[in-house]
Amino acid sequence: MSPSGIPRGGPPLTEAEAEDLLRCICFKTGPPRTVGVELEWLVHELRDPRLPVRPPRLAAALDTVRALPLVSALTFEPGGQLELSSRPAGSLMECLDSLAADLDAVRAALGPLGLTLSGYGVDPWHAPRGRVLHEPRYDAMETVLDRTGPAGRAMMCDSASVQICLDAGFEEPGPLGYHRRWQLAHLLGAVLVAAFANSPVHGGRRTGWRSTRQALWADLDPRRALAPSPDGEPRAEWAAHVLDTPVMCVRAEEGPWAVPEGLTFREWLRTGLPRPADVDDLRYHMTTLFPPVRPRGHLELRMMDAQPGADGWMVPVAVTTAVFDDPEAAESVYRAVKPLAERAGQGPAPRNPLWLAAARDGLADAELHAAARAVFSAALDALPRIGASEGVRRAVAAFHERYVIPGSCPADNLQVVTS
């Protein structure tokens, strides 16, 4: 450990060693058995969410929440969004129950302070929210993302999501094989964007997108937020993507971190400048890549907007887990979404035509609507098989009837008073 607390990873890393390491650590295969969830929430004024929460008050509230004895990991995003990350759970219900208990505790602590957690993909009232966290990582991120426009600051400070983590899958082919799950994630991901779109308003104005959050990600960076090709061998495609993406920063033990422009990790390894890169630098670099599906030993699905209501977040978690981890549902859904590949074309998510249509039109898009109906039908059949409670099954069925069958999404029902 360095004096600044930045871990050092030993000797300089070679390009071949980096490629081998990426292939080993990013797709760890085995039977799908664990699930995890990362929930981001906007923190709003309880009596009137249009009123801004001043930074000192927000900081004091966050200190109160930090003192809670939570099972989930608690972190905060640059704009003060609160994030709870569950532990890996052995079943869907174990994950949902644990995270729900922690959310109850957080809400109980925030209520007496006059604050509440709000589930929107982007802040409907405030844009941009200023950065609350001023750390070297976020200083560097802001500098890098500012080079391509304002979307980066909005993503950092104004957005919130439901992120679902699932095992990479088996080594062998089949509906639960890691190669199939990688392909499924990139096609199903567009359907999930459309079905759970919940951010049509940003900063008091309608944007023309049902998922403005996803539109921000598509506009974020020439490479950092893009997916590699889902058609090739996943380990090889991801390793090349990681090495050929520019580094966000070069950490330093003292002083500001360097923010090079256009220096890929591969070039850093080859030149050894501004200093030799090591294993910890590679691991850190991977945390600065934000594709819609990020392999981190498991698959991290990052594309869904935060959901309305106290328990609305459970629906995307239940649906996604069911259609990934139940073999019958996984096969059925893969067949249903595979035709969407032609519309996606050769462009990477989230900038290809399929993903842009999902963010803009939601389930008003006929192809995405048909796919979503097939996905939810398979999920409803699979939920009893993976041990989902009656309450969770009812919640998924209610969402199916309210949104999926008629071809709408939460964004279509969002009414925001701006004055």
Side-chain angles (χ1 to χ4, degrees):
M1 184 77 73
S2 73
S4 66
I6 298 173
R8 304 303 299 159
L13 190 65
T14 68
E15 188 175 343
E17 289 170 340
E19 289 180 343
D20 288 343
L21 185 62
L22 288 167
R23 290 169 182 267
C24 291
I25 66 176
C26 292
F27 289 88
K28 295 179 180 177
T29 53
R33 63 182 183 275
T34 56
V35 57
V37 180
E38 300 173 18
L39 296 179
E40 297 172 345
W41 300 88
L42 301 169
V43 180
H44 280 147
E45 178 72 46
L46 180 60
R47 61 189 175 92
D48 187 347
R50 295 170 297 176
L51 299 175
V53 180
R54 301 299 179 189
R57 184 171 172 224
L58 181 59
L62 299 184
D63 285 342
T64 298
V65 174
R66 285 190 182 97
L68 296 173
L70 304 175
V71 174
S72 307
L74 174 71
T75 54
F76 299 95
E77 296 297 308
Q81 307 98 307
L82 183 148
E83 180 175 352
L84 284 175
S85 301
S86 74
R87 292 180 178 176
S91 69
L92 171 66
M93 292 312 303
E94 179 187 339
C95 179
L96 295 183
D97 290 343
S98 174
L99 199 47
D102 283 345
L103 274 170
D104 287 343
V106 170
R107 291 191 179 102
L110 291 177
L113 303 177
L115 298 174
T116 188
L117 300 179
S118 297
Y120 302 99
V122 296
D123 195 313
W125 296 281
H126 312 113
R129 290 156 63 106
R131 242 193 326 139
V132 174
L133 298 184
H134 295 277
E135 301 173 356
R137 174 183 173 88
Y138 297 120
D139 293 343
M141 186 181 296
E142 186 174 277
T143 298
V144 169
L145 298 182
D146 277 353
R147 291 169 180 163
T148 52
R153 292 197 184 202
M155 177 276 294
M156 291 172 67
C157 298
D158 300 338
S159 69
S161 67
V162 176
Q163 301 179 18
I164 302 169
C165 300
L166 298 164
D167 286 323
F170 287 105
E171 190 72 28
E172 61 265 22
L176 300 185
Y178 80 95
H179 198 160
R180 172 74 68 83
R181 285 162 76 87
W182 180 244
Q183 292 178 315
L184 176 62
H186 287 88
L187 294 174
L188 175 63
V191 181
L192 297 175
V193 168
F196 296 108
N198 186 40
S199 52
V201 180
H202 187 207
R205 68 176 185 88
R206 291 201 169 266
T207 65
W209 298 83
R210 280 158 167 97
S211 177
T212 303
R213 175 184 172 274
Q214 192 55 238
L216 291 172
W217 282 108
D219 195 36
L220 192 64
D221 182 278
R223 190 168 179 89
R224 191 171 308 281
L226 301 185
S229 170
D231 296 327
E233 202 290 315
R235 291 187 174 105
E237 293 286 351
W238 179 248
H241 182 73
V242 170
L243 295 181
D244 292 330
T245 298
V247 300
M248 188 179 79
C249 58
V250 177
R251 297 173 295 166
E253 295 183 4
E254 296 181 357
W257 294 359
V259 186
E261 189 164 2
L263 175 69
T264 68
F265 202 90
R266 193 184 301 276
E267 291 167 338
W268 187 9
L269 291 171
R270 289 176 177 178
T271 65
L273 298 173
R275 62 164 174 78
D278 59 31
V279 170
D280 285 314
D281 290 315
L282 177 61
R283 293 181 184 275
Y284 190 85
H285 174 59
M286 285 190 285
T287 72
T288 71
L289 308 184
F290 310 116
V293 183
R294 184 163 62 181
R296 306 184 67 182
H298 54 272
L299 298 183
E300 183 181 77
L301 281 70
R302 305 167 44 82
M303 70 286 296
M304 283 165 280
D305 285 354
Q307 294 297 290
D311 299 324
W313 60 273
M314 292 187 180
V315 175
V317 177
V319 169
T320 306
T321 304
V323 301
F324 264 84
D325 286 359
D326 179 81
E328 183 179 338
E331 183 63 31
S332 173
V333 168
Y334 181 72
R335 290 197 302 267
V337 301
K338 189 176 181 180
L340 296 175
E342 182 176 351
R343 187 167 175 194
Q346 297 302 308
R351 288 187 179 171
N352 65 45
L354 176 67
W355 280 70
L356 292 175
R360 182 182 58 248
D361 302 326
L363 295 188
D365 181 278
E367 287 184 276
L368 288 164
H369 182 208
R373 294 188 66 161
V375 168
F376 271 74
S377 177
L380 285 166
D381 288 344
L383 283 171
R385 296 195 292 266
I386 66 170
S389 69
E390 183 179 350
V392 169
R393 300 199 302 269
R394 284 199 305 266
V396 173
F399 190 100
H400 180 230
E401 293 178 7
R402 182 178 183 183
Y403 296 116
V404 178
I405 291 176
S408 65
C409 59
D412 295 322
N413 287 356
L414 182 60
Q415 301 294 325
V416 174
V417 177
T418 59
S419 62

